[in-house]
Amino acid sequence: MKDIMIIANPSSGKKQAEEYAMRAKYLFEDNQRQADVRITECEEDIEKYVKEACKEKYDTLILLGGDGTVSKSGESLKDEKYRPKIGIIPTGTINNIARGLGISTNIDQAVEDLVNCKEQITDVGMINDRLFLSSISAGSIPETVWEVSKDQKEKLGPLAYFIEGFKSLREEEIYSIDMSLDGKKMKFDLTLLVIGLSNSVAGIPIFFNVAAYDDGYLYLFGLKESTLGEKISVMTSLLNDNETLSDENNKGFVIPFKEGSFKSDHNLNVALDGEKGPCFPFDIKILPAFLTFLVPVN
């Protein structure tokens, strides 16, 4: 068994991947750990290096990148019998997976925290045959997520998503969605559908304030056709007390579930961990205690 592999994605964040990878390597070595660095040159390299880490039985896999890098690595571990522990040095735009795990989005702090950390066994989601580690979403706002260019991410950071999302509010479209959640069938006309694993969605740390990565549940948020004032009221309730959104007759509602299926009368793709994902119809379920992450002690 080998010790640590650091996979660094130089296309993520401010393109200082190699510098931070070497800083992490030296810090580990100062603490009597052995670390090997792999720098990706294309997206396919992420899977290649993750598979190498499994084959060589590395104890720990450190991922230096954003949500896309972490999500791609999780997907690459899907069929592996041996899965290393995972640490994250978040250098992306939103870093929602790191936020949900309580990992600092300050890169220097995240590197320091990896030396003194604890293990957290986490759930993952599966949509059809693909894993996701943060959330999936559908509607006019999520459709803007994959339209944000790399240049916009670099120049504007998280603001790029909010700008595109605000534009889409003017073109709100209603989608008829049939769903079955843990055997209960229901139908809604929605403008926004979000399904998440943890409390953090789209960089908002308390989107699902009762959710946790190890509670065995997925959480669905649905938003019906509504005025701007009603949207503000729903979002205020969502960010303060999900209990007020437990009634499905509200303009917005939250439902915890473990397994579901979804159909729509639109040819609609979902955003999956910030990237373009599959289209309707789809099946989704929770995979409990699937991965082990390294998180700060405090």
Side-chain angles (χ1 to χ4, degrees), residues 279-291:
C279 63
F280 284 77
F282 63 83
D283 296 318
I284 188 171
K285 63 182 177 181
I286 192 81
L287 298 180
F290 194 82
L291 295 175

Side-chain angles (χ1 to χ4, degrees), residues 32-45:
Q32 290 72 56
R33 301 288 300 275
Q34 178 62 45
D36 301 321
V37 175
R38 303 286 188 271
I39 307 294
T40 66
E41 295 181 357
C42 60
E43 183 178 341
E44 289 73 20
D45 282 347

Side-chain angles (χ1 to χ4, degrees), residues 138-140 168 171-177 188-192 223-226 231 251 264-266 268:
S140 54
S168 72
E171 303 171 355
E172 184 178 62
E173 188 171 354
I174 302 169
Y175 302 96
S176 180
I177 299 177
F188 297 105
D189 292 330
L190 302 177
T191 61
L192 176 63
L223 179 65
K224 301 176 184 178
E225 183 179 16
S226 50
K231 287 181 175 65
K251 290 293 184 179
S264 175
D265 55 0
H266 287 68
L268 181 64

Side-chain angles (χ1 to χ4, degrees), residues 113 146 150 180 192 194 215 258 284 290:
D113 287 342
W146 58 77
K150 289 185 178 180
S180 175
L192 176 63
V194 178
D215 65 6
K258 295 185 177 183
I284 188 171
F290 194 82

Side-chain angles (χ1 to χ4, degrees), residues 13 41 71 107 114 133 153 182 203 245 254 258 274 296 298:
E41 295 181 357
S71 182
I107 300 174
L114 283 170
L133 302 181
K153 292 180 184 179
D182 295 335
L245 299 179
V254 173
K258 295 185 177 183
N298 296 320

